[in-house]
Every structure is written in structure tokens, then in C-alpha cells.
């Protein structure tokens, strides 16, 4: 599942673009794992025919499910994404991975990639990014001081920042870069969580909060508020 557009309406009512992304493959959850001795990669660009919107309501929550199969077989991986955002500059995101295969998934690694393009297509080349490994926070901003921050309830094992063409995740390149700071330029940011093994019929979940604001202090406050709301909104 990928996101095409995110924006913040500021105090003056202006639409401040966080993400208007023509490169859909750089905005969403990816995963790699080993199954029956073979490495696999599942990207945010699986065909739309494999995605099914299962529920949507006025509460601000939407749930999207996707099945990934290999060589036309029955779904090997079931991915479910539940997102909430309503009247607040925050997105709460629960990503679930279920093993629907016949053998355990080994060494599962999950990646959330975001090519924010803050300010939209006309100003994306002035973006900056910084990963704080002590607190597990990834922050992106531009020279007009519009901030976005990604955090995960499960502490990320890695954070990476790269130019779009060099941010690659596949079955042979299974770790994000260790670049912790970059910019101003066109960048992609990512969080990586190593989940270990997932047994047949088992699911594992990653909880993420994305917030945006026009100051770093406000971003910090919103991050605390987002996690305070998480369990109530994502039941």
C-alpha cells in the first residue's frame, strides 16, 4: 500500500504539501523475508488488483488489505494497513503482516519508506532529513520550516536517508543505508524494523505515527499527543 498525497493546512488556511509523489514505490511499507530457503521481497507497488479496501467510515479510519502470492499461488503474505486521521495533522498507521504460507517466514524485515517532497514538485530539492537513533525518530523538513516526523512503537532497528534512485530494497539488498542526515536535496527517508521469524498462521504488527507541523517544538508535542491517542483510535 502506498500514499500519493499528504498535506497540512496551516494556521492561515494554506495547503502545505508534505507529499505529492509521482514515484509511488517510494511511499509505503515494504518487506523482505526468507521462505523455504529463498529470499522474497514485497513492495508497495504490488498490482492494485491485489488490494481490497475492506472498511471505511466517518470515524476517520480506513483499512486496506493486500494479498501477495508467488508464481500465481494462493496468497503467501497477507498485509493489512489500518490508518486514522481526522481534524489533526497526524496519521496513525497500523501495519500487520500475516504468514499464510506453509512454512515459517524467516528473518522478516519491514521498511516504511517516505519520499515526502515537502512543498510539492516545485520545491522538493530543498528537503532535509535526520534520523535520531537514540529515540528512533525520523524527521524531514524544508527551508520553509515545514516539518514531518515518523516514529514507530517498536523501536526501529535502522533509519536510512538517501536520494530516490539510491533507496533500494529487494531480496538481495535487505538493509537500509546507515546515512543518518542528508540535505538540502531530494531525499527519501525510511525506518526499518527487524521482526525475526513469523510462524504459519501468525501475524506481527508495526504501529507508526506520522505528524507534521510548522515548528520542531510543535512536532515533538504532536508526537506525544499521537501516541496518547493511538490505542483509543486504533482499537
Amino acid at each position: 500500500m502506498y500514499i500519493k498525497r499528504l498535506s497540512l493546512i496551516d494556521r492561515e488556511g494554506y495547503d502545505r504539501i508534505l507529499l505529492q509523489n509521482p514515484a509511488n514505490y517510494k511511499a509505503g511499507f515494504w518487506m523482505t523475508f526468507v521462505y523455504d530457503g529463498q529470499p522474497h521481497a514485497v513492495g508497495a507497488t504490488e498490482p492494485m488488483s491485489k488490494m481490497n479496501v475492506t472498511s471505511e467510515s466517518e470515524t476517520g479510519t480506513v483499512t486496506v488489505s493486500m494479498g501477495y502470492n508467488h508464481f500465481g499461488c494462493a496468497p503467501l503474505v497477507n498485509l493489512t494497513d489500518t490508518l486514522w486521521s481526522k481534524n489533526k495533522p497526524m496519521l496513525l498507521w497500523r501495519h500487520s503482516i500475516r504468514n499464510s504460507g506453509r512454512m515459517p517466514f524467516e528473518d522478516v524485515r519491514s521498511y516504511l519508506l517516505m519520499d515526502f517532497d515537502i512543498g510539492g514538485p516545485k520545491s522538493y530539492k530543498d528537503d532535509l532529513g535526520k534520523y535520531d537513533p537514540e529515540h528512533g525518530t525520523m524527521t524531514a523538513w524544508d527551508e520553509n520550516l515545514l516539518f514531518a516526523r515518523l516514529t514507530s512503537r517498536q523501536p526501529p532497528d535502522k533509519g536510512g536517508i538517501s536520494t530516490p534512485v539510491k533507496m533500494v530494497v529487494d531480496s538481495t539488498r535487505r538493509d537500509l543505508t546507515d546515512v543518518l542526515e542528508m540535505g538540502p536535496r531530494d531525499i527519501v527517508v525510511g525506518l526499518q524494523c527487524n521482526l525475526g521469524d513469523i510462524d504459519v498462521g501468525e501475524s506481527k504488527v508495526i504501529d507508526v505515527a506520522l505528524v507534521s507541523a510548522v515548528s520542531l517544538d510543535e512536532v515533538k508535542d504532536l508526537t506525544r499527543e499521537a501516541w496518547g491517542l493511538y490505542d483509543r483510535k486504533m482499537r
Side-chain angles (χ1 to χ4, degrees):
M1 182 205 167
Y2 56 79
I3 295 177
K4 288 187 175 181
R5 191 180 192 281
L6 287 173
S7 64
L8 166 69
I9 307 299
D10 66 19
R11 296 183 182 91
E12 286 72 40
Y14 290 105
D15 188 358
R16 306 280 298 276
I17 294 175
L18 287 165
L19 183 154
Q20 186 169 311
N21 190 2
N24 297 326
Y25 59 94
K26 299 298 185 186
F29 269 103
W30 289 61
M31 68 175 288
T32 64
F33 61 101
V34 177
Y35 183 79
D36 194 18
Q38 297 297 316
H40 291 254
V42 181
T45 51
E46 296 302 320
M48 292 298 292
S49 61
K50 294 184 180 181
M51 299 178 69
N52 176 43
V53 178
T54 57
S55 65
E56 190 169 0
S57 73
E58 295 180 357
T59 63
T61 301
V62 60
T63 300
V64 178
S65 64
M66 183 178 77
Y68 165 78
N69 55 47
H70 186 56
F71 297 132
C73 300
L76 180 69
V77 183
N78 288 108
L79 303 176
T80 302
D81 291 279
T82 303
L83 304 97
W84 178 91
S85 182
K86 187 176 183 180
N87 300 328
K88 289 181 180 290
M90 61 179 66
L91 178 69
L92 309 183
W93 192 340
R94 174 164 288 157
H95 179 67
S96 175
I97 301 170
R98 180 175 175 81
N99 180 352
S100 297
R102 298 179 179 180
M103 298 182 182
F105 295 165
E106 299 176 343
D107 191 20
V108 178
R109 306 179 194 183
S110 183
Y111 323 85
L112 175 58
L113 306 182
M114 282 289 180
D115 183 357
F116 278 110
D117 287 347
I118 294 174
K122 293 183 179 179
S123 70
Y124 65 90
K125 292 183 179 180
D126 66 350
D127 292 355
L128 301 98
K130 184 173 183 179
Y131 178 66
D132 179 352
E134 180 180 355
H135 299 97
T137 59
M138 177 67 75
T139 307
W141 69 100
D142 71 2
E143 294 178 343
N144 295 316
L145 298 182
L146 179 62
F147 293 84
R149 174 166 285 183
L150 285 171
T151 57
S152 170
R153 178 174 284 173
Q154 173 174 335
D157 292 277
K158 280 181 175 286
I161 307 171
S162 177
T163 59
V165 295
K166 293 184 178 180
M167 180 68 84
V168 179
V169 173
D170 60 28
S171 59
T172 60
R173 288 165 287 191
R174 303 188 59 216
D175 281 313
L176 296 184
T177 66
D178 282 318
V179 176
L180 305 185
E181 192 168 355
M182 183 177 287
R185 63 185 307 171
D186 185 16
I187 60 171
V188 176
V189 301
L191 298 178
Q192 174 179 330
C193 293
N194 298 340
L195 303 178
D197 298 343
I198 303 180
D199 290 334
V200 176
E202 182 187 7
S203 298
K204 288 194 176 181
V205 169
I206 300 172
D207 291 337
V208 168
L210 188 162
V211 305
S212 62
V214 294
S215 75
L216 188 56
D217 286 342
E218 189 174 356
V219 159
K220 293 177 181 178
D221 291 341
L222 280 169
T223 300
R224 287 190 289 269
E225 182 181 354
W227 288 115
L229 287 170
Y230 203 98
D231 289 330
R232 181 155 55 92
K233 298 296 183 181
M234 302 295 284
R235 290 178 295 181

